[in-house]
Amino acid sequence: MQTVSEVMTRDVKSISPEDSVRRAAQMMDELNVGSIPVCDGPKLVGMITDRDITVRSTAAGQSPESTRVGDVMSTDVRTCYATQSTDEVLEQMGDVQIRRVPVVDQGAHSLVGIVSLGDLATQKSNGIDKALLEISTPSEPDRSAAH
């Protein structure tokens, strides 16, 4: 059984919930990523994505300089442990259509790494085709009148 610790990226850059949305966007540009873990000290408290910035901040007319990451980040973050099997995490990624999962330690919920679909794909996992299909299937658009 292959574990997450064997494939995860360990030196992960994170951002504080007190940093500005502009700083988050700049970091995404510098790192060429679409999401960044948000940590209060070592503890993972959320993730901010390019979509969070666009939909929750820019579309609402908020200033990128004065809007804090903590105001627009996603707090319901799926995480995994370094000791979990890659197949188990891959199945979870497919179930909820996500491409990256922060890896936390089991005690303090501190960020220790991140595992991506790409990390898992290079390991010839049996479930990669199924997970990729599930992750890549478009969601139905929100057609509620609440827009």
Side-chain angles (χ1 to χ4, degrees):
M1 170 187 82
Q2 187 173 42
T3 63
V4 170
S5 66
E6 297 172 57
V7 298
M8 71 182 193
T9 300
R10 294 178 187 277
D11 186 26
V12 179
K13 303 294 183 212
S14 65
I15 194 164
S16 163
E18 299 304 315
D19 282 325
S20 72
V21 167
R22 179 182 298 278
R23 180 66 192 128
Q26 289 169 335
M27 282 182 69
M28 287 178 193
D29 184 35
E30 292 164 10
L31 300 170
N32 194 27
V33 297
S35 63
I36 299 175
V38 181
C39 293
D40 188 1
K43 184 178 179 183
L44 179 73
V45 294
M47 292 282 285
I48 186 160
T49 67
D50 46 10
R51 189 172 195 286
D52 291 331
I53 293 170
T54 302
V55 173
R56 295 183 181 160
S57 183
T58 305
Q62 297 175 339
S63 164
E65 288 295 338
S66 61
T67 304
R68 300 286 145 229
V69 167
D71 297 333
V72 297
M73 70 182 186
S74 299
T75 56
D76 185 22
V77 178
R78 295 288 181 126
T79 61
C80 67
Y81 302 121
T83 56
Q84 280 183 267
S85 79
T86 54
D87 289 339
E88 180 183 359
V89 174
L90 189 58
E91 186 175 320
Q92 291 173 2
M93 292 168 88
D95 289 347
V96 293
Q97 293 187 310
I98 54 176
R99 297 175 185 270
R100 284 169 203 80
V101 179
V103 184
V104 296
D105 73 9
Q106 290 176 308
H109 206 68
S110 297
L111 183 68
V112 296
I114 197 160
V115 65
S116 72
L117 187 59
D119 295 332
L120 297 170
T122 62
Q123 302 305 312
K124 297 183 174 67
S125 175
N126 292 335
I128 195 72
D129 294 340
K130 180 178 182 277
L132 183 57
L133 179 64
E134 290 174 348
I135 291 168
S136 300
T137 300
S139 299
E140 289 296 318
D142 181 1
R143 301 205 188 276
S144 66
H147 285 316

